Amino acid sequence: MMHFQKRVLVTGGAGFLGSHLCDRLVSQGVDVLCLDNFFTGAKSNISHLLDSPNFELIRHDLVHPIFLEVDEIYNLACPASPIHYQYNPVKTVKTSVMGSINMLGLAKRVKAKILQASTSEIYGDPKVHPQKEDYWGNVNTIGPRSCYDEGKRCAETLFFDYHRQNNVNIRVARIFNTYGPRMHPNDGRVVSNFIVQALTNQDITVYGEGKQTRSFCYVEDMIEGLVRLMEGPDDFIGPVNLGNPAEYTILQLAELILKLTGSRSKIIFQPLPQDDPLQRQPDISLAQERLGWEPKVGLEQGLEKTIEYFRTII
Ligand code: NAD
Ligand code: UDP
């Protein structure tokens, strides 16, 4: 049968960000193909979509080529939390590099538009603050975070080379720390760790002295930014920072989560992991100008929704 409906592939679609993106696209009425190998994703994240006529689930490992006919690709497949991406670092590099080559090859063949979920980690432990897109970063090539950071950097290189060499219509988003419902409760990221610890009356594990900073974006805001970038003008391909510029120390985050949960957990200090970035804050003026985008949900409000979610699952 002739097909007029736009078809959108979301790799990593059963993960945290991917499942929210699938929700958004399914509700827009486009045909959504969700591809995942379920390494860190879960069927429960997308089970509510399985009955939708415009949603399809494909179990596949992106390290291997796949042949599909689609109009747009959001390339999100890659473990995102340090404990997950460090579990099998060689596989993490393969997913970023070979996964990108496979998806760019697909985009080239079927003339699809393709968006890469890059990361603030490409700036490494930044010497420039806040981070702007023209900063080249300060990244260790041989450390425990390198499989993720360098894999994502190489993916950006591949995107721009396929664009220049093969005219592929690309978008590159540099995503800063994002949180919200459906984060994996054991994925070791700071927001999920602290909330789970607070709700189960375990000690809150602050690494180092908790003076390092992060800027946390609520998932709904992030999905809006990704969709705007994909649907935006073809002469605005990025890379563009997406994140919430409100910067907090990790200790401030711990205290805020204790306040919002009313928990009596106590804060304890544990060693700071190697190469843990000291400070991170996106400069989002480019996204504001070119996409008319900025986050709307403040940390307290977003944490409340996230805490509510974790209460239902633990
Ligand atoms: P996540 O771990 O919840 O989702 C990643 C998904 O990719 C999972 O469903 C996983 O099963 C799947 N996947 C992993 N390897 C795969 C492979 N080889 N083949 C097929 N599927 C595979 O993480 P997330 O937070 O949703 O992150 C999604 C994307 O956004 C990632 O690319 C991540 O690097 C990027 N990102 C996220 C953040 C954040 O704060 N959440 C920040 C920066 C960048
Ligand atoms: N962190 C912490 N306690 C935890 C988990 C993380 O203090 O239980 C710190 C971690 O050292 C880092 C920050 O929180 O400085 C954010 O960590 P996360 O793994 O969430 O993201 P990333 O370091 O990749 O930004």
Side-chain angles (χ1 to χ4, degrees):
M1 209 178 92
M2 289 285 282
H3 198 98
F4 297 112
Q5 182 97 310
K6 181 163 81 174
R7 269 181 290 207
V8 183
L9 172 63
V10 179
T11 78
F16 162 52
L17 291 181
S19 64
H20 285 279
L21 181 59
C22 286
D23 281 348
R24 162 77 184 255
L25 295 169
V26 166
S27 73
Q28 281 180 4
V30 300
D31 265 355
V32 177
L33 284 74
C34 167
L35 179 154
D36 210 291
N37 71 346
F38 297 108
F39 173 50
T40 54
K43 279 194 189 152
S44 57
N45 287 340
I46 41 104
S47 53
H48 58 286
L49 294 173
L50 289 172
D51 289 335
S52 306
N54 57 332
F55 181 81
E56 204 177 325
L57 179 61
I58 306 165
R59 178 188 279 267
H60 179 77
D61 190 320
L62 212 60
V63 163
H64 305 291
I66 185 165
F67 292 83
L68 299 164
E69 313 303 318
V70 295
D71 303 296
E72 288 177 0
I73 305 167
Y74 286 87
N75 189 36
L76 271 56
C78 184
S81 96
I83 54 169
H84 285 153
Y85 70 64
Q86 288 166 7
Y87 172 77
N88 184 344
V90 173
K91 178 70 188 239
T92 301
V93 176
K94 283 188 184 172
T95 297
S96 273
V97 175
M98 294 161 77
S100 291
I101 291 174
N102 288 332
M103 287 304 100
L104 285 160
L106 173 62
K108 177 183 160 190
R109 182 175 64 81
V110 302
K111 296 195 168 36
K113 196 183 338 177
I114 178 167
L115 179 148
Q116 168 66 357
S118 189
T119 168
S120 53
E121 284 284 320
I122 66 103
Y123 300 121
D125 190 1
K127 301 270 190 237
V128 168
H129 195 75
Q131 291 78 54
K132 260 177 129 52
E133 290 84 352
D134 59 7
Y135 176 50
W136 288 356
N138 174 39
V139 180
N140 181 359
T141 58
I142 57 171
R145 297 176 87 100
S146 308
C147 61
Y148 184 73
D149 300 7
E150 295 291 4
K152 289 284 189 179
R153 287 171 67 95
C154 184
E156 287 199 8
T157 306
L158 286 163
F159 269 70
F160 276 78
D161 281 331
Y162 268 82
H163 175 63
R164 284 186 292 250
Q165 196 176 329
N166 302 112
N167 247 325
V168 174
N169 190 356
I170 62 159
R171 302 286 189 274
V172 174
R174 291 186 180 151
I175 300 173
F176 283 64
N177 296 62
T178 304
Y179 69 97
R182 299 193 198 140
M183 289 185 94
H184 198 292
N186 302 320
D187 83 0
R189 281 186 272 195
V190 67
V191 172
S192 46
N193 265 14
F194 287 0
I195 293 178
V196 170
Q197 288 162 346
L199 293 180
T200 55
N201 290 316
Q202 291 170 273
D203 294 340
I204 308 283
T205 53
V206 169
Y207 301 159
E209 294 172 54
K211 288 184 184 154
Q212 70 273 35
T213 68
R214 293 293 185 275
S215 306
F216 300 99
C217 184
Y218 189 64
V219 60
E220 256 172 47
D221 285 330
M222 182 55 61
I223 300 304
E224 178 65 31
L226 292 172
V227 171
R228 280 196 195 201
L229 176 61
M230 180 66 108
E231 291 175 356
D234 284 343
D235 70 347
F236 185 61
I237 62 178
V240 59
N241 290 339
L242 295 179
N244 190 322
E247 184 184 8
Y248 293 82
T249 68
I250 295 303
L251 197 55
Q252 285 174 325
L253 177 74
E255 282 159 357
L256 184 55
I257 289 175
L258 282 176
K259 185 187 97 179
L260 295 175
T261 52
S263 166
R264 279 178 306 185
S265 294
K266 67 176 200 304
I267 292 175
I268 61 163
F269 295 90
Q270 291 186 348
L272 190 68
Q274 190 194 327
D275 294 345
D276 201 281
L278 198 63
Q279 50 179 9
R280 179 181 291 158
Q281 182 190 34
D283 181 320
I284 60 162
S285 37
L286 192 58
Q288 283 170 321
E289 271 164 42
R290 296 301 312 265
L291 303 173
W293 174 87
E294 63 184 12
K296 304 257 181 283
V297 183
L299 184 60
E300 203 163 314
Q301 193 191 350
L303 283 177
E304 270 165 3
K305 295 188 198 194
T306 311
I307 291 165
E308 210 174 280
Y309 166 77
F310 277 105
R311 277 192 207 279
T312 64
I313 65 157
I314 56 181

